[in-house]
Amino acid sequence: MSKKVFVKTYGCQMNVYDSNRMVNVLKPHGYEVAESPEEADLVILNTCHIREKAAEKVYSEIGRLKKLKINKAKNGQDMYIAVAGCVAQAEGAEMMQRAPAVDLVLGPQTYHRLPAMLNSAAEQRAGGRTSSRVLDTEFPIDTKFDHLPKESDFDSPAQFLTIQEGCDKFCAFCVVPYTRGAEYSRSVEAVVEEATHMAAKGVVEITLLGQNVNAYHGDGGDGETRNLGELIGAVADIEGIERIRYTTSHPRDMDDELISAHKDIDACMPYLHLPVQSGSDTILAAMNRKHTREEYFTIIDKLRAARPDLALSSDFIVGFPGETDADFEDTMDLVRRVKYSQAYSFKYSPRPGTPAAAAETQVPEDVKSERLARLQTLLEQHQAEFNEASIGLEMDILLEREGKMKGQLIGRSPYLQAVVVDFSDSDNALDGEADPSYTDFMGKLVRVKIVASGQRSLTGELMKTLH
Ligand code: 5AD
Ligand code: SF4
């Protein structure tokens, strides 16, 4: 009899990729995807440790699942709870103590061992226990990438592909170097093979993922390593791959070759997430970011010279220890100068084991909240302006999913804006086809004219199909 697995994913896109991979590891072992925890035999929480709130959410979810597990047990049904990802890596042993309902704890580097772990969990349960205790948070020498089966079916023409993991930068606020370990890059061959497989299955857009993606230096197969600019060139050569994105980058690794890729490689999209965290030199130094605000501006200038229509995004932290009003004003000033098309901003959250957590100059919570609100108002204003400026432009949209209403498809612009295209609209009907089946456009690149901009998405009118 087949079993069902439900995966709940928290945090970044690397976790989204990993969640898909875990499902694919389990499929050959008889697992199907469940739509809800209620119908699942195995629930995996793929967790994020980046901020305290994200980690706490996991414990409340475990609480809910525990009740479900008890109810199921009453009906003679087995259910396993697995915690994967960065909270598992950071707090694995502690979690087994704190949350006895958890059967399995596995770190981000051990997903290929999931079936074996489930077997040992089942063996323990066979002894009559209601929960098992299986923990694997090692960093094995053999990488999980070498072991994972490939996706057989892609649910969207836009897919993530992890090319690099880990981080050696040790920003003073960040847990990633501790949870994801040292930087590791996959080989060019492995990346190209996976991307080719995706293209053959109809994938049109690939987002190359890494915690420090532009620090990529993968084995080129000839004893030399390749950088990200070169890798993007290799992926762009694959038949069927029309769009390439990459995230997340560090300003320090934004080298000239990568900047040129935005000019020279058509598939390299004019959009870049380049977190700066703060606009104050004092805070940048305290954060151990290893660059100044002027250096950041220089990179932005070079990028815009290479690709004048480039849209930028960033992450910001407000209330880092020692941040004064003047430091915060420097961040506001940087935002006004760069003008991001979208951005993410957070209150500083002390993470155990990181240098900044121990600082005595913590900023009071109310000051953090007030600064965050001001920053977000400014960022949202810029985002709205960017979206409004898109009205009247023609853009290529990759249609990825159905909209809320029948006849609507939603895709992404080159600048990562969500664009709704309504095919029931007479303006979008195709010549000679009275009633085209709009779903035929799913997964296709289409040319649209942007006609309206709303809070979260744009509206586009179809011009002609591209692909
Ligand atoms: N507190 C608040 N934000 C954080 N980030 C990382 N660590 C912390 C922390 N301790 C933010 C950074 C990073 C994004 C992924 O999360 O802005 O770029
Ligand atoms: Fe964390 Fe800094 Fe590494 Fe990014 S570069 S993962 S913020 S330590």
Side-chain angles (χ1 to χ4, degrees):
M1 209 184 73
S2 83
K3 292 185 186 152
K4 288 197 164 178
V5 54
F6 180 80
V7 188
K8 181 158 181 175
T9 309
Y10 300 81
C12 68
Q13 289 139 338
M14 305 211 22
N15 271 7
V16 175
Y17 176 87
D18 282 345
S19 292
N20 286 335
R21 284 300 188 105
M22 282 190 271
V23 168
N24 282 301
V25 165
L26 290 170
K27 275 184 182 163
H29 295 266
Y31 279 87
E32 285 171 22
V33 175
E35 297 298 322
S36 68
E38 283 71 22
E39 59 179 57
D41 304 282
L42 167 66
V43 178
I44 304 176
L45 303 178
N46 195 6
T47 63
C48 171
H49 200 237
I50 199 97
R51 285 170 293 276
E52 193 179 359
K53 254 194 190 157
E56 278 308 317
K57 273 191 206 156
V58 176
Y59 283 101
S60 20
E61 185 64 31
I62 294 171
R64 277 191 288 275
L65 291 175
K66 182 181 161 188
K67 290 194 189 113
L68 184 63
K69 186 174 171 179
I70 293 169
N71 279 339
K72 284 191 179 179
K74 281 184 193 150
N75 298 327
Q77 262 178 297
D78 259 355
M79 177 176 136
Y80 289 83
I81 302 175
V83 180
C86 293
V87 178
Q89 185 67 42
E91 300 181 4
E94 195 186 321
M95 175 172 271
M96 291 239 115
Q97 296 272 322
R98 182 170 159 188
V102 172
D103 295 278
L104 253 86
V105 171
L106 61 159
Q109 307 306 328
T110 59
Y111 297 152
H112 53 292
R113 301 184 187 168
L114 191 50
M117 286 185 239
L118 280 166
N119 281 342
S120 40
E123 275 167 25
Q124 291 186 15
R125 289 266 197 111
R129 291 168 54 172
T130 51
S131 272
S132 43
R133 316 269 77 185
V134 180
L135 173 74
D136 191 346
T137 50
E138 279 177 41
F139 285 87
I141 312 265
D142 52 343
T143 89
K144 61 179 174 182
F145 297 112
D146 299 340
H147 291 80
L148 298 172
K150 293 193 181 103
E151 300 234 11
S152 49
D153 260 322
F154 295 102
D155 56 357
S156 161
Q159 290 291 326
F160 298 128
L161 198 173
T162 296
I163 64 165
Q164 180 277 335
E165 270 195 54
C167 179
D168 295 338
K169 294 247 172 5
F170 291 91
C171 297
F173 51 81
C174 187
V175 286
V176 166
Y178 311 96
T179 50
R180 292 268 175 166
E183 254 176 53
Y184 164 83
S185 294
R186 297 174 72 189
S187 71
V188 173
E189 191 189 355
V191 174
V192 168
E193 190 195 319
E194 190 167 340
T196 306
H197 172 73
M198 287 179 168
K201 300 282 177 185
V203 171
V204 176
E205 172 177 316
I206 292 182
T207 302
L208 304 172
L209 292 181
Q211 257 103 24
N212 230 295
V213 76
N214 59 342
Y216 176 85
H217 54 282
D219 182 351
D222 53 3
E224 306 278 325
T225 59
R226 297 286 183 279
N227 59 29
L228 183 59
E230 293 168 308
L231 182 74
I232 290 173
V235 175
D237 285 342
I238 298 168
E239 174 96 32
I241 299 300
E242 309 271 349
R243 289 178 154 193
I244 300 169
R245 306 180 188 277
Y246 57 96
T247 198
T248 292
S249 296
H250 191 289
R252 282 271 296 203
D253 295 315
M254 218 54 231
D255 61 49
D256 288 343
E257 197 150 359
L258 183 52
I259 292 173
S260 300
H262 284 277
K263 180 172 77 199
D264 301 333
I265 301 175
D266 285 345
C268 186
M269 288 291 99
Y271 173 88
L272 178 62
H273 182 61
L274 192 63
V276 66
Q277 314 295 356
S278 166
S280 151
D281 277 339
T282 318
I283 297 300
L284 286 171
M287 286 177 163
N288 192 30
R289 293 288 291 177
K290 303 187 183 83
H291 69 79
T292 62
R293 63 186 260 130
E294 274 314 314
E295 282 162 346
Y296 186 79
F297 288 138
T298 304
I299 296 164
I300 302 289
D301 289 346
K302 279 192 196 174
L303 280 159
R304 286 192 164 143
R307 186 76 208 228
D309 67 334
L310 188 87
L312 285 148
S313 149
S314 181
D315 292 339
F316 294 93
I317 296 178
V318 300
F320 184 80
E323 186 186 72
T324 63
D325 283 340
D327 291 321
F328 175 67
E329 290 309 326
D330 283 347
T331 299
M332 295 289 277
D333 177 70
L334 179 145
V335 169
R336 283 189 202 99
R337 273 175 71 169
V338 177
K339 279 204 146 192
Y340 295 94
S341 70
Q342 69 158 78
Y344 304 91
S345 46
F346 315 99
K347 287 192 253 184
Y348 170 69
S349 160
R351 307 308 292 128
T354 59
E360 281 166 13
T361 47
Q362 301 294 332
V363 174
E365 207 51 35
D366 56 337
V367 176
K368 286 188 204 171
S369 302
E370 190 258 337
R371 288 180 188 164
L372 185 68
R374 279 187 58 205
L375 176 62
Q376 290 187 336
T377 303
L378 183 63
L379 291 168
E380 279 161 21
Q381 182 194 325
H382 289 171
Q383 178 167 1
E385 284 170 18
F386 181 82
N387 286 340
E388 273 154 31
S390 303
I391 297 175
L393 298 183
E394 290 176 21
M395 294 185 190
D396 300 338
I397 310 299
L398 178 60
L399 297 168
E400 295 175 19
R401 59 194 160 94
E402 294 211 40
K404 281 209 186 89
M405 273 128 36
K406 198 169 154 39
Q408 279 184 346
L409 294 181
I410 302 179
R412 296 268 176 192
S413 78
Y415 314 105
L416 216 57
Q417 297 149 294
V419 181
V420 182
V421 186
D422 191 346
F423 287 82
S424 57
D425 189 332
S426 60
D427 290 339
N428 281 334
L430 291 183
D431 292 345
E433 262 185 90
D435 185 15
S437 172
Y438 70 102
T439 47
D440 290 347
F441 288 94
M442 187 77 94
K444 302 267 194 290
L445 268 170
V446 295
R447 188 121 183 116
V448 308
K449 185 170 187 173
I450 304 301
V451 292
S453 99
Q455 189 74 322
R456 300 184 56 196
S457 62
L458 305 177
T459 309
E461 276 178 6
L462 189 66
M463 306 191 68
K464 62 177 186 202
T465 51
L466 284 183
H467 177 76

